[in-house]
Amino acid sequence: MKIPDKTHKQITLDHGSGGSASSELIESLFLEYLTDPVLNRMEDAAVLNVRGKKLAFSTDSFVVDPIFFPGGSIGELAINGTINDLAMQGARPVCLSLGLIIEEGLGFKDLERIIRDIAHACRKAEVPVVTGDTKVVPRGKADRIFINTSGIGIVEEGTDISPARIRKGDAILLSGSVADHGITILTSREGLEFQGKLQSDTCALHKMVQGILGNLLQSDSISALHALRDPTRGGLATTLSELARSSSACMEIFEKEIPIAAPVRAACELMGLDPLYIANEGKFIAIAEEQYAESIIDVMRSFPEGQNSIIIGKVTDNYPGRVVVHTGSGGSRLAEPLTGEPLPRIC
Amino acid sequence: MKIPDKTHKQITLDHGSGGSASSELIESLFLEYLTDPVLNRMEDAAVLNVRGKKLAFSTDSFVVDPIFFPGGSIGELAINGTINDLAMQGARPVCLSLGLIIEEGLGFKDLERIIRDIAHACRKAEVPVVTGDTKVVPRGKADRIFINTSGIGIVEEGTDISPARIRKGDAILLSGSVADHGITILTSREGLEFQGKLQSDTCALHKMVQGILGNLLQSDSISALHALRDPTRGGLATTLSELARSSSACMEIFEKEIPIAAPVRAACELMGLDPLYIANEGKFIAIAEEQYAESIIDVMRSFPEGQNSIIIGKVTDNYPGRVVVHTGSGGSRLAEPLTGEPLPRIC
């Protein structure tokens, strides 16, 4: 067996960052032992054929700290997060599972509030929880509550969304402002206060994605949508790096086009954090044929959660497998995927 | 909202026991908010119609302590446990998800051993992991590793397994000895040593169930199999109580028929534990029309993991909703579902 880094004999927070240490662990350990044609694709959700139907299947565990924060809670995050993983394969989510690991001593009122948030998020998304499991561990053996959700979605025939389809000339679209979730969690955890209203962007994205797909289908151009990805852990820069790497294309983005809320920008500057590396929980990147980009943006903007959608760049062949950020001042830099873990337990 | 017990304002270990405190929590909180026709059925796995196909969907989190024990590890338990939840709906499992929550500092060697056990259990069961997620939490915020697995299975047309189908006169079948898993965990946790070889019974049961269904199908009597359930947390007595309660039938079992391995019996006697309440991870109860019971037992015995299968009792209408245990001495007693939590973190 290849140990990811022989100088590290223990799991560190970096291995859960969603950045390069995570990828190394997954590739050198999990894929080494669990090799499977579907798993090996390493998408946010597996897409598999079950009796002639294409199903998407995804899982995500949520360990966010704090469990309640401006704009949401671990409950909403758990529902929206797995729905979004399914949506990023172009799937229509049909049902979810809910697995709770609770630390002995969690207050009933807190648990009730979380379950109410889960129920609210399910109703809003129109995706039900159909099966569940609850474990309780002794005090000190977990941190209040951890939630796993898994989900099943249906992928319509003709939908083929995969980084492998990314081509030179494609436009890079973003559904709104970045870094809201990560900065909200960080500042509420540390008890920092910033001018303006910081709040998590947690929301379900499947209706917007279905809107795009429905619109493209009408004009018989569904194949124009090449890739979708939600920039969660590691943020926009890490997600684009992964897409660049798996497509061997170059992602060129224009920093000044990327929407960032004023209080988020202020918080990032004060803390010395780059908003392109901060987690989002209600945004996605779409990569599509350039000639369809404007009409896709129009559809995205027709949804409240996509009203700030914008084209942020294009796919080229200048630096294959890399991300180029054109800065406001006219310069440019290469963006690497996240390596360290600046923000543990962000989701 | 109805708080399950107003004198308890906090979650206790009992709420994760699989016994009556768990049921109360689920019914008064989860089903109150998350009401859904499939969830409300409260089966080990949800069975739902997806585009005209019957799918089973299940989730389970594993928090067992210790993570390695005689006969298995948390890895095998996680794979076999979810496969068994699907199998208990008569489903053929097709794929699994794997969600890891790792405590910072877990040794790579331990993680590798767990992943190897997962891979081994998957290969043996012929059910792959197709999607996964890894989170790492800081030292002291979890206990080494927690694993969630969810799974999808296919339920063939004509398969209708549900406690609602239990009828007076049915036979109660058990696939082998009880209490092996729980006693193994307890003694290895406490560092106790007993004469004889104690080991967990963790194994996947779907092939045995498919064998039974295939055999019944051949004789056009698939409807003879009424209910299946694996007696995990809470053990045989709690599981039978649940079946009695949901079918309003009386489950009468003969204590002397129930296989218990000699070292397990000795350990139970020494520790004052009733083996009927101790968890199993590789056994199931089948409730079937009496005239088919012997042929079902024959099929079960043809599998290595079912070689000690036996008829342990029958369904009557003597005490509707209750379990009657006929003791060796000719007396009888009513068995209540588990209320306290004698063995936390058994799975």
Side-chain angles (χ1 to χ4, degrees):
Chain A
M1 179 254 171
K2 292 174 283 177
I3 289 178
D5 179 344
K6 290 193 188 282
T7 61
H8 291 84
K9 303 279 194 204
Q10 294 187 335
I11 295 294
T12 66
L13 291 173
D14 283 354
H15 291 112
S17 65
S20 57
S22 297
S23 306
E24 272 172 39
L25 180 69
I26 292 166
E27 286 166 27
S28 65
L29 182 56
F30 300 162
L31 296 187
E32 183 91 355
Y33 282 103
L34 297 172
T35 185
D36 172 85
V38 178
L39 183 68
N40 294 356
R41 270 182 241 137
M42 296 279 299
E43 301 280 358
D44 284 344
V47 175
L48 52 157
N49 244 289
V50 177
R51 291 280 166 98
K53 307 287 174 195
K54 264 168 87 178
L55 294 185
F57 183 34
S58 187
T59 193
D60 224 335
S61 297
F62 296 83
V63 299
V64 66
D65 170 35
I67 56 177
F68 302 109
F69 46 81
S73 73
I74 191 172
E76 281 146 331
L77 217 55
I79 299 303
N80 296 336
T82 290
I83 286 177
N84 292 347
D85 281 346
L86 296 170
M88 294 305 112
Q89 297 295 320
R92 185 173 58 77
V94 292
C95 64
L96 297 170
S97 67
L98 177 68
L100 306 179
I101 297 175
I102 304 175
E103 184 190 10
E104 179 189 16
L106 178 72
F108 264 128
K109 277 198 187 306
D110 285 342
L111 182 59
E112 187 187 7
R113 187 171 158 197
I114 291 165
I115 300 296
R116 199 169 47 205
D117 286 348
I118 286 172
H120 177 252
C122 286
R123 269 197 306 276
K124 200 169 166 192
E126 298 175 82
V127 183
V129 166
V130 297
T131 189
D133 175 63
T134 304
K135 294 290 188 304
V136 181
V137 297
R139 230 176 265 268
K141 299 297 184 187
D143 193 11
R144 309 191 73 188
I145 187 168
F146 300 144
I147 303 182
N148 176 282
T149 49
S150 302
I152 302 176
I154 294 174
V155 182
E156 296 296 342
E157 279 310 311
T159 307
D160 182 14
I161 291 171
S162 160
R165 296 191 56 235
I166 293 172
R167 293 286 173 269
K168 178 183 169 182
D170 283 355
I172 304 171
L173 289 61
L174 175 65
S175 70
S177 62
V178 298
D180 301 85
H181 178 74
I183 292 299
T184 302
I185 295 298
L186 188 65
T187 54
S188 49
R189 190 187 301 163
E190 306 296 337
L192 303 175
E193 295 209 13
F194 284 90
Q195 259 195 336
K197 205 183 167 199
L198 284 175
Q199 79 172 27
S200 169
D201 60 344
T202 180
C203 72
L205 299 166
H206 61 306
K207 292 186 182 183
M208 207 180 344
V209 170
Q210 292 299 309
I212 296 170
L213 291 171
N215 192 265
L216 290 172
L217 202 59
Q218 275 183 356
S219 58
D220 203 25
S221 48
I222 197 157
S223 68
L225 183 64
H226 294 167
L228 294 169
R229 194 66 69 90
D230 55 338
T232 54
R233 286 181 291 175
L236 184 68
T238 303
T239 302
L240 284 174
S241 291
E242 288 169 5
L243 289 173
R245 190 180 159 193
S246 48
S247 64
S248 300
C250 176
M251 305 280 159
E252 299 200 33
I253 59 171
F254 296 88
E255 203 161 31
K256 72 173 169 31
E257 300 296 338
I258 299 166
I260 302 172
V264 171
R265 189 183 295 277
C268 283
E269 281 172 7
L270 196 70
M271 294 187 283
L273 294 170
D274 183 341
L276 301 193
Y277 288 90
I278 305 294
N280 310 280
E281 288 291 338
K283 299 294 161 18
F284 67 92
I285 300 160
I287 301 196
E289 288 178 28
E290 200 274 335
Q291 65 179 113
Y292 294 93
E294 285 296 346
S295 70
I296 293 173
I297 287 286
D298 287 344
V299 175
M300 290 165 72
R301 287 186 182 159
S302 73
F303 288 83
E305 59 274 27
Q307 57 180 325
N308 296 318
S309 295
I310 191 161
I311 299 170
I312 58 165
K314 62 187 175 185
V315 178
T316 70
D317 57 4
N318 290 337
Y319 295 88
R322 306 298 292 274
V323 177
V324 177
V325 182
H326 295 279
T327 56
S329 54
S332 67
R333 58 186 163 94
L334 288 171
E336 304 296 331
L338 186 74
T339 47
E341 172 52 283
L343 303 169
R345 299 182 64 191
I346 212 71
C347 63
Chain B
M1 179 252 171
K2 291 174 282 177
I3 287 176
D5 178 344
K6 293 193 188 280
T7 61
H8 291 84
K9 304 278 193 204
Q10 294 187 333
I11 296 293
T12 65
L13 290 173
D14 283 354
H15 291 112
S17 66
S20 57
S22 297
S23 306
E24 272 171 38
L25 180 69
I26 290 166
E27 285 167 28
S28 66
L29 183 56
F30 300 162
L31 295 187
E32 183 90 356
Y33 282 103
L34 298 174
T35 184
D36 172 84
V38 178
L39 184 67
N40 295 356
R41 269 181 242 138
M42 296 279 300
E43 301 279 358
D44 284 344
V47 176
L48 53 158
N49 244 291
V50 177
R51 292 281 165 95
K53 307 288 173 196
K54 264 168 85 177
L55 294 185
F57 183 34
S58 188
T59 193
D60 224 335
S61 296
F62 296 83
V63 298
V64 66
D65 171 35
I67 55 177
F68 302 108
F69 45 82
S73 74
I74 190 171
E76 280 145 333
L77 217 53
I79 299 303
N80 295 337
T82 290
I83 285 175
N84 291 349
D85 281 346
L86 296 171
M88 294 305 112
Q89 296 296 321
R92 185 173 57 77
V94 292
C95 63
L96 297 171
S97 67
L98 177 68
L100 307 178
I101 298 175
I102 305 175
E103 183 190 9
E104 180 189 16
L106 178 72
F108 264 127
K109 276 197 187 307
D110 285 341
L111 182 59
E112 186 186 7
R113 188 171 157 196
I114 291 165
I115 300 296
R116 199 169 48 206
D117 286 348
I118 287 172
H120 178 253
C122 285
R123 268 196 306 275
K124 200 168 166 192
E126 298 176 83
V127 183
V129 167
V130 296
T131 189
D133 174 64
T134 304
K135 294 288 189 302
V136 181
V137 297
R139 228 175 267 269
K141 300 296 183 188
D143 194 10
R144 307 192 73 188
I145 187 168
F146 300 144
I147 302 182
N148 177 283
T149 49
S150 301
I152 301 176
I154 294 173
V155 182
E156 296 296 342
E157 277 311 310
T159 308
D160 182 14
I161 291 170
S162 160
R165 297 191 56 234
I166 293 172
R167 294 282 174 271
K168 178 183 170 182
D170 284 354
I172 304 171
L173 290 61
L174 174 66
S175 70
S177 63
V178 298
D180 301 85
H181 178 75
I183 292 299
T184 301
I185 295 298
L186 187 64
T187 53
S188 48
R189 191 187 303 164
E190 307 296 338
L192 303 175
E193 295 209 13
F194 285 90
Q195 259 198 336
K197 205 183 167 198
L198 284 174
Q199 78 171 28
S200 168
D201 60 344
T202 180
C203 71
L205 299 166
H206 61 307
K207 292 185 182 184
M208 205 178 346
V209 171
Q210 292 299 308
I212 295 171
L213 291 171
N215 192 266
L216 290 172
L217 201 60
Q218 275 183 355
S219 57
D220 203 26
S221 48
I222 197 157
S223 68
L225 183 64
H226 293 168
L228 295 169
R229 195 66 68 91
D230 55 338
T232 55
R233 286 182 289 175
L236 184 67
T238 303
T239 301
L240 284 173
S241 291
E242 288 167 4
L243 289 173
R245 190 179 160 194
S246 47
S247 64
S248 300
C250 176
M251 305 281 159
E252 300 200 32
I253 59 171
F254 297 88
E255 202 161 32
K256 69 173 171 29
E257 300 296 339
I258 299 167
I260 302 173
V264 171
R265 189 183 297 277
C268 283
E269 281 171 6
L270 197 70
M271 295 187 282
L273 294 169
D274 184 342
L276 301 194
Y277 289 90
I278 306 294
N280 310 281
E281 288 291 339
K283 299 292 160 21
F284 68 92
I285 299 160
I287 302 199
E289 287 177 30
E290 200 273 335
Q291 65 179 114
Y292 295 93
E294 285 295 347
S295 70
I296 293 173
I297 287 285
D298 287 345
V299 175
M300 291 166 72
R301 286 184 181 160
S302 73
F303 289 82
E305 60 273 28
Q307 58 182 321
N308 296 318
S309 297
I310 191 161
I311 298 170
I312 59 164
K314 61 185 175 187
V315 178
T316 71
D317 56 4
N318 290 337
Y319 296 88
R322 307 297 294 271
V323 178
V324 177
V325 181
H326 295 280
T327 56
S329 54
S332 67
R333 57 184 164 95
L334 288 171
E336 303 297 331
L338 187 73
T339 48
E341 172 52 285
L343 303 170
R345 299 183 63 191
I346 212 72
C347 63

